[in-house]
Amino acid sequence: MAQPASILLVDDEQDIIKLMEIYFGNEGYRIFTANDGIQALEVLKTVDIDLIILDVMMPNMDGIEACMKIREEQKMPIIMLSAKSTDIDKITGLSIGADDYLTKPFNPLELVARAKSQLRRYHTFNEGRESKEHEWIIDDLIINTDTHEVWLDDKPVHLTPREFAVLELLARHQGSVLSMEQIYRQVWKEEFMESNNTVMVHIRKLREKIEHDSKHPKFIQTVWGVGYKMIKPI
């Protein structure tokens, strides 16, 4: 990927700004900060921002007003932060253009995970994004058949050519079950023998690399007595 995404952190509490800077900085993102809505709008005039984390309660211009002004011209994802936890507060934030809403105090790791999810969705469905027929995005997993790159949680996954070929085949048939014989014939281009456990070994290695928990696989599922399938995103 060309360069890390840029994130604008907007909050008048410096301790929270510093906390978010540490966590997002550790993930390699480019970080910009502002103390209120007015400063945030000034940053947006000079910097291309991919995602905004916006506090609701701030002096000068609060997050609600800032969000509405941002939405007049820009469509990057916005995650709102607020000490208010009632449903009406969340509904208000989402109804004015926010994409997600997190209540303070929050878990920084959860905030990072939500930010990653919003960034993936934005770059996948952004109308201005170049069409990529050679790319599959399955939840946290990205498979690029043009560059033979695989990313999990925005981190590169290194596969052997055979492992990538198996993964690509399953991705091309998302939701469909492929038998071990079908996989072997199409990837190895050889006749399959019942005693051959090559496919099983490669599936195990793939799971160790692309699954968050290889013992409870999410992406590559076993259909007992039939074969394997790649989940199909909802």
mmCIF file of all heavy atoms in Angstrom, residues 126-153:
data_model
loop_
_atom_site.group_PDB
_atom_site.id
_atom_site.type_symbol
_atom_site.label_atom_id
_atom_site.label_comp_id
_atom_site.label_asym_id
_atom_site.label_seq_id
_atom_site.Cartn_x
_atom_site.Cartn_y
_atom_site.Cartn_z
ATOM 1 N N ASN A 126 -15.813 3.587 -1.556
ATOM 2 C CA ASN A 126 -15.736 4.973 -1.958
ATOM 3 C C ASN A 126 -15.954 5.090 -3.463
ATOM 4 O O ASN A 126 -15.288 4.432 -4.256
ATOM 5 C CB ASN A 126 -14.356 5.550 -1.583
ATOM 6 C CG ASN A 126 -14.248 7.019 -1.932
ATOM 7 O OD1 ASN A 126 -15.227 7.669 -2.271
ATOM 8 N ND2 ASN A 126 -13.042 7.535 -1.844
ATOM 9 N N GLU A 127 -16.870 5.916 -3.876
ATOM 10 C CA GLU A 127 -17.212 6.034 -5.290
ATOM 11 C C GLU A 127 -16.029 6.457 -6.142
ATOM 12 O O GLU A 127 -15.954 6.146 -7.317
ATOM 13 C CB GLU A 127 -18.356 7.039 -5.462
ATOM 14 C CG GLU A 127 -19.647 6.590 -4.839
ATOM 15 C CD GLU A 127 -20.722 7.632 -4.948
ATOM 16 O OE1 GLU A 127 -20.438 8.710 -5.473
ATOM 17 O OE2 GLU A 127 -21.850 7.361 -4.511
ATOM 18 N N GLY A 128 -15.106 7.192 -5.541
ATOM 19 C CA GLY A 128 -13.970 7.675 -6.314
ATOM 20 C C GLY A 128 -12.842 6.678 -6.404
ATOM 21 O O GLY A 128 -11.838 6.915 -7.053
ATOM 22 N N ARG A 129 -12.988 5.528 -5.782
ATOM 23 C CA ARG A 129 -11.915 4.542 -5.763
ATOM 24 C C ARG A 129 -11.854 3.817 -7.090
ATOM 25 O O ARG A 129 -12.857 3.452 -7.676
ATOM 26 C CB ARG A 129 -12.179 3.527 -4.643
ATOM 27 C CG ARG A 129 -11.123 2.439 -4.504
ATOM 28 C CD ARG A 129 -11.487 1.580 -3.309
ATOM 29 N NE ARG A 129 -10.465 0.597 -3.051
ATOM 30 C CZ ARG A 129 -10.574 -0.687 -3.371
ATOM 31 N NH1 ARG A 129 -11.648 -1.104 -4.016
ATOM 32 N NH2 ARG A 129 -9.611 -1.537 -3.068
ATOM 33 N N GLU A 130 -10.651 3.582 -7.569
ATOM 34 C CA GLU A 130 -10.457 2.846 -8.807
ATOM 35 C C GLU A 130 -10.967 1.424 -8.644
ATOM 36 O O GLU A 130 -10.709 0.771 -7.647
ATOM 37 C CB GLU A 130 -8.978 2.825 -9.160
ATOM 38 C CG GLU A 130 -8.669 2.083 -10.445
ATOM 39 C CD GLU A 130 -7.187 2.032 -10.727
ATOM 40 O OE1 GLU A 130 -6.428 2.651 -9.969
ATOM 41 O OE2 GLU A 130 -6.799 1.365 -11.705
ATOM 42 N N SER A 131 -11.693 0.947 -9.629
ATOM 43 C CA SER A 131 -12.234 -0.399 -9.563
ATOM 44 C C SER A 131 -11.100 -1.419 -9.515
ATOM 45 O O SER A 131 -10.132 -1.335 -10.263
ATOM 46 C CB SER A 131 -13.125 -0.661 -10.776
ATOM 47 O OG SER A 131 -13.563 -1.993 -10.786
ATOM 48 N N LYS A 132 -11.239 -2.415 -8.632
ATOM 49 C CA LYS A 132 -10.223 -3.444 -8.505
ATOM 50 C C LYS A 132 -10.890 -4.812 -8.582
ATOM 51 O O LYS A 132 -11.267 -5.394 -7.580
ATOM 52 C CB LYS A 132 -9.452 -3.298 -7.187
ATOM 53 C CG LYS A 132 -8.546 -2.081 -7.144
ATOM 54 C CD LYS A 132 -7.692 -2.101 -5.896
ATOM 55 C CE LYS A 132 -6.722 -0.935 -5.884
ATOM 56 N NZ LYS A 132 -5.860 -0.938 -4.677
ATOM 57 N N GLU A 133 -11.040 -5.308 -9.803
ATOM 58 C CA GLU A 133 -11.665 -6.604 -9.981
ATOM 59 C C GLU A 133 -10.776 -7.731 -9.476
ATOM 60 O O GLU A 133 -11.229 -8.849 -9.276
ATOM 61 C CB GLU A 133 -12.004 -6.816 -11.457
ATOM 62 C CG GLU A 133 -13.017 -5.812 -12.000
ATOM 63 C CD GLU A 133 -13.310 -6.029 -13.463
ATOM 64 O OE1 GLU A 133 -12.659 -6.920 -14.057
ATOM 65 O OE2 GLU A 133 -14.170 -5.325 -14.004
ATOM 66 N N HIS A 134 -9.488 -7.424 -9.313
ATOM 67 C CA HIS A 134 -8.526 -8.442 -8.891
ATOM 68 C C HIS A 134 -8.373 -8.488 -7.374
ATOM 69 O O HIS A 134 -7.448 -9.133 -6.877
ATOM 70 C CB HIS A 134 -7.161 -8.153 -9.523
ATOM 71 C CG HIS A 134 -6.679 -6.767 -9.236
ATOM 72 N ND1 HIS A 134 -6.929 -5.712 -10.078
ATOM 73 C CD2 HIS A 134 -5.981 -6.262 -8.195
ATOM 74 C CE1 HIS A 134 -6.395 -4.610 -9.568
ATOM 75 N NE2 HIS A 134 -5.811 -4.927 -8.431
ATOM 76 N N GLU A 135 -9.251 -7.844 -6.650
ATOM 77 C CA GLU A 135 -9.096 -7.774 -5.206
ATOM 78 C C GLU A 135 -10.363 -8.241 -4.495
ATOM 79 O O GLU A 135 -11.459 -7.842 -4.845
ATOM 80 C CB GLU A 135 -8.751 -6.345 -4.787
ATOM 81 C CG GLU A 135 -8.439 -6.181 -3.316
ATOM 82 C CD GLU A 135 -7.960 -4.780 -2.987
ATOM 83 O OE1 GLU A 135 -8.817 -3.905 -2.750
ATOM 84 O OE2 GLU A 135 -6.752 -4.560 -2.993
ATOM 85 N N TRP A 136 -10.165 -9.097 -3.506
ATOM 86 C CA TRP A 136 -11.272 -9.525 -2.657
ATOM 87 C C TRP A 136 -11.048 -8.986 -1.253
ATOM 88 O O TRP A 136 -9.934 -9.076 -0.714
ATOM 89 C CB TRP A 136 -11.363 -11.054 -2.582
ATOM 90 C CG TRP A 136 -11.930 -11.677 -3.802
ATOM 91 C CD1 TRP A 136 -13.236 -11.836 -4.146
ATOM 92 C CD2 TRP A 136 -11.174 -12.260 -4.874
ATOM 93 N NE1 TRP A 136 -13.354 -12.459 -5.357
ATOM 94 C CE2 TRP A 136 -12.103 -12.738 -5.824
ATOM 95 C CE3 TRP A 136 -9.806 -12.423 -5.122
ATOM 96 C CZ2 TRP A 136 -11.700 -13.362 -6.997
ATOM 97 C CZ3 TRP A 136 -9.410 -13.040 -6.292
ATOM 98 C CH2 TRP A 136 -10.353 -13.509 -7.208
ATOM 99 N N ILE A 137 -12.089 -8.435 -0.661
ATOM 100 C CA ILE A 137 -12.027 -7.983 0.722
ATOM 101 C C ILE A 137 -13.077 -8.760 1.501
ATOM 102 O O ILE A 137 -14.273 -8.623 1.263
ATOM 103 C CB ILE A 137 -12.266 -6.472 0.838
ATOM 104 C CG1 ILE A 137 -11.186 -5.712 0.056
ATOM 105 C CG2 ILE A 137 -12.272 -6.036 2.296
ATOM 106 C CD1 ILE A 137 -11.313 -4.221 0.103
ATOM 107 N N ILE A 138 -12.607 -9.611 2.394
ATOM 108 C CA ILE A 138 -13.482 -10.477 3.172
ATOM 109 C C ILE A 138 -13.266 -10.145 4.640
ATOM 110 O O ILE A 138 -12.302 -10.600 5.261
ATOM 111 C CB ILE A 138 -13.172 -11.961 2.886
ATOM 112 C CG1 ILE A 138 -13.196 -12.224 1.376
ATOM 113 C CG2 ILE A 138 -14.148 -12.871 3.627
ATOM 114 C CD1 ILE A 138 -12.633 -13.563 0.975
ATOM 115 N N ASP A 139 -14.124 -9.284 5.151
ATOM 116 C CA ASP A 139 -13.967 -8.783 6.515
ATOM 117 C C ASP A 139 -12.577 -8.166 6.686
ATOM 118 O O ASP A 139 -12.267 -7.197 6.027
ATOM 119 C CB ASP A 139 -14.246 -9.891 7.532
ATOM 120 C CG ASP A 139 -15.718 -10.276 7.575
ATOM 121 O OD1 ASP A 139 -16.546 -9.514 7.041
ATOM 122 O OD2 ASP A 139 -16.048 -11.324 8.139
ATOM 123 N N ASP A 140 -11.727 -8.760 7.533
ATOM 124 C CA ASP A 140 -10.407 -8.188 7.803
ATOM 125 C C ASP A 140 -9.341 -8.683 6.833
ATOM 126 O O ASP A 140 -8.176 -8.316 6.965
ATOM 127 C CB ASP A 140 -9.961 -8.538 9.231
ATOM 128 C CG ASP A 140 -10.974 -8.103 10.267
ATOM 129 O OD1 ASP A 140 -11.603 -7.055 10.063
ATOM 130 O OD2 ASP A 140 -11.140 -8.805 11.281
ATOM 131 N N LEU A 141 -9.725 -9.510 5.875
ATOM 132 C CA LEU A 141 -8.767 -10.148 4.969
ATOM 133 C C LEU A 141 -8.861 -9.521 3.578
ATOM 134 O O LEU A 141 -9.943 -9.381 3.017
ATOM 135 C CB LEU A 141 -9.069 -11.647 4.890
ATOM 136 C CG LEU A 141 -8.120 -12.504 4.066
ATOM 137 C CD1 LEU A 141 -6.745 -12.585 4.733
ATOM 138 C CD2 LEU A 141 -8.708 -13.906 3.876
ATOM 139 N N ILE A 142 -7.706 -9.133 3.026
ATOM 140 C CA ILE A 142 -7.643 -8.580 1.677
ATOM 141 C C ILE A 142 -6.747 -9.473 0.837
ATOM 142 O O ILE A 142 -5.611 -9.770 1.212
ATOM 143 C CB ILE A 142 -7.086 -7.143 1.671
ATOM 144 C CG1 ILE A 142 -7.970 -6.219 2.509
ATOM 145 C CG2 ILE A 142 -6.974 -6.617 0.243
ATOM 146 C CD1 ILE A 142 -7.424 -4.806 2.650
ATOM 147 N N ILE A 143 -7.249 -9.898 -0.327
ATOM 148 C CA ILE A 143 -6.498 -10.767 -1.235
ATOM 149 C C ILE A 143 -6.390 -10.060 -2.581
ATOM 150 O O ILE A 143 -7.400 -9.770 -3.219
ATOM 151 C CB ILE A 143 -7.205 -12.125 -1.418
ATOM 152 C CG1 ILE A 143 -7.457 -12.781 -0.056
ATOM 153 C CG2 ILE A 143 -6.394 -13.035 -2.327
ATOM 154 C CD1 ILE A 143 -8.455 -13.924 -0.128
ATOM 155 N N ASN A 144 -5.175 -9.769 -3.002
ATOM 156 C CA ASN A 144 -4.948 -9.078 -4.271
ATOM 157 C C ASN A 144 -4.273 -10.052 -5.236
ATOM 158 O O ASN A 144 -3.113 -10.409 -5.061
ATOM 159 C CB ASN A 144 -4.072 -7.845 -4.056
ATOM 160 C CG ASN A 144 -4.001 -6.973 -5.297
ATOM 161 O OD1 ASN A 144 -3.730 -7.462 -6.389
ATOM 162 N ND2 ASN A 144 -4.247 -5.681 -5.130
ATOM 163 N N THR A 145 -5.020 -10.483 -6.269
ATOM 164 C CA THR A 145 -4.482 -11.469 -7.201
ATOM 165 C C THR A 145 -3.554 -10.844 -8.237
ATOM 166 O O THR A 145 -2.829 -11.557 -8.930
ATOM 167 C CB THR A 145 -5.627 -12.193 -7.936
ATOM 168 O OG1 THR A 145 -6.424 -11.237 -8.643
ATOM 169 C CG2 THR A 145 -6.497 -12.934 -6.939
ATOM 170 N N ASP A 146 -3.565 -9.528 -8.341
ATOM 171 C CA ASP A 146 -2.668 -8.839 -9.273
ATOM 172 C C ASP A 146 -1.245 -8.807 -8.733
ATOM 173 O O ASP A 146 -0.281 -9.058 -9.452
ATOM 174 C CB ASP A 146 -3.169 -7.408 -9.502
ATOM 175 C CG ASP A 146 -3.167 -7.022 -10.958
ATOM 176 O OD1 ASP A 146 -3.160 -7.920 -11.813
ATOM 177 O OD2 ASP A 146 -3.170 -5.813 -11.251
ATOM 178 N N THR A 147 -1.121 -8.481 -7.455
ATOM 179 C CA THR A 147 0.193 -8.344 -6.833
ATOM 180 C C THR A 147 0.573 -9.560 -5.989
ATOM 181 O O THR A 147 1.686 -9.634 -5.474
ATOM 182 C CB THR A 147 0.227 -7.096 -5.930
ATOM 183 O OG1 THR A 147 -0.746 -7.256 -4.876
ATOM 184 C CG2 THR A 147 -0.105 -5.846 -6.722
ATOM 185 N N HIS A 148 -0.383 -10.507 -5.860
ATOM 186 C CA HIS A 148 -0.187 -11.690 -5.005
ATOM 187 C C HIS A 148 0.130 -11.277 -3.570
ATOM 188 O O HIS A 148 0.939 -11.912 -2.895
ATOM 189 C CB HIS A 148 0.916 -12.595 -5.566
ATOM 190 C CG HIS A 148 0.421 -13.489 -6.664
ATOM 191 N ND1 HIS A 148 0.781 -14.807 -6.779
ATOM 192 C CD2 HIS A 148 -0.435 -13.250 -7.690
ATOM 193 C CE1 HIS A 148 0.179 -15.342 -7.837
ATOM 194 N NE2 HIS A 148 -0.556 -14.411 -8.395
ATOM 195 N N GLU A 149 -0.563 -10.231 -3.113
ATOM 196 C CA GLU A 149 -0.409 -9.772 -1.741
ATOM 197 C C GLU A 149 -1.646 -10.138 -0.929
ATOM 198 O O GLU A 149 -2.767 -10.118 -1.447
ATOM 199 C CB GLU A 149 -0.192 -8.261 -1.691
ATOM 200 C CG GLU A 149 1.149 -7.803 -2.244
ATOM 201 C CD GLU A 149 1.288 -6.294 -2.200
ATOM 202 O OE1 GLU A 149 0.332 -5.598 -2.607
ATOM 203 O OE2 GLU A 149 2.338 -5.810 -1.762
ATOM 204 N N VAL A 150 -1.427 -10.449 0.329
ATOM 205 C CA VAL A 150 -2.517 -10.740 1.262
ATOM 206 C C VAL A 150 -2.297 -9.901 2.506
ATOM 207 O O VAL A 150 -1.170 -9.787 3.004
ATOM 208 C CB VAL A 150 -2.548 -12.245 1.631
ATOM 209 C CG1 VAL A 150 -3.637 -12.517 2.658
ATOM 210 C CG2 VAL A 150 -2.770 -13.098 0.384
ATOM 211 N N TRP A 151 -3.392 -9.293 2.986
ATOM 212 C CA TRP A 151 -3.319 -8.442 4.179
ATOM 213 C C TRP A 151 -4.373 -8.907 5.172
ATOM 214 O O TRP A 151 -5.508 -9.202 4.804
ATOM 215 C CB TRP A 151 -3.578 -6.978 3.819
ATOM 216 C CG TRP A 151 -2.568 -6.419 2.855
ATOM 217 C CD1 TRP A 151 -2.501 -6.646 1.506
ATOM 218 C CD2 TRP A 151 -1.477 -5.557 3.170
ATOM 219 N NE1 TRP A 151 -1.431 -5.980 0.970
ATOM 220 C CE2 TRP A 151 -0.780 -5.293 1.954
ATOM 221 C CE3 TRP A 151 -1.019 -4.973 4.349
ATOM 222 C CZ2 TRP A 151 0.341 -4.480 1.901
ATOM 223 C CZ3 TRP A 151 0.093 -4.160 4.292
ATOM 224 C CH2 TRP A 151 0.759 -3.923 3.088
ATOM 225 N N LEU A 152 -3.980 -8.971 6.433
ATOM 226 C CA LEU A 152 -4.907 -9.289 7.516
ATOM 227 C C LEU A 152 -4.780 -8.206 8.574
ATOM 228 O O LEU A 152 -3.678 -7.957 9.070
ATOM 229 C CB LEU A 152 -4.590 -10.666 8.124
ATOM 230 C CG LEU A 152 -5.471 -11.084 9.305
ATOM 231 C CD1 LEU A 152 -6.907 -11.304 8.841
ATOM 232 C CD2 LEU A 152 -4.922 -12.348 9.967
ATOM 233 N N ASP A 153 -5.895 -7.556 8.899
ATOM 234 C CA ASP A 153 -5.868 -6.446 9.857
ATOM 235 C C ASP A 153 -4.842 -5.400 9.432
ATOM 236 O O ASP A 153 -4.083 -4.866 10.258
ATOM 237 C CB ASP A 153 -5.539 -6.949 11.268
ATOM 238 C CG ASP A 153 -6.687 -7.743 11.868
ATOM 239 O OD1 ASP A 153 -7.843 -7.502 11.473
ATOM 240 O OD2 ASP A 153 -6.425 -8.610 12.714
#
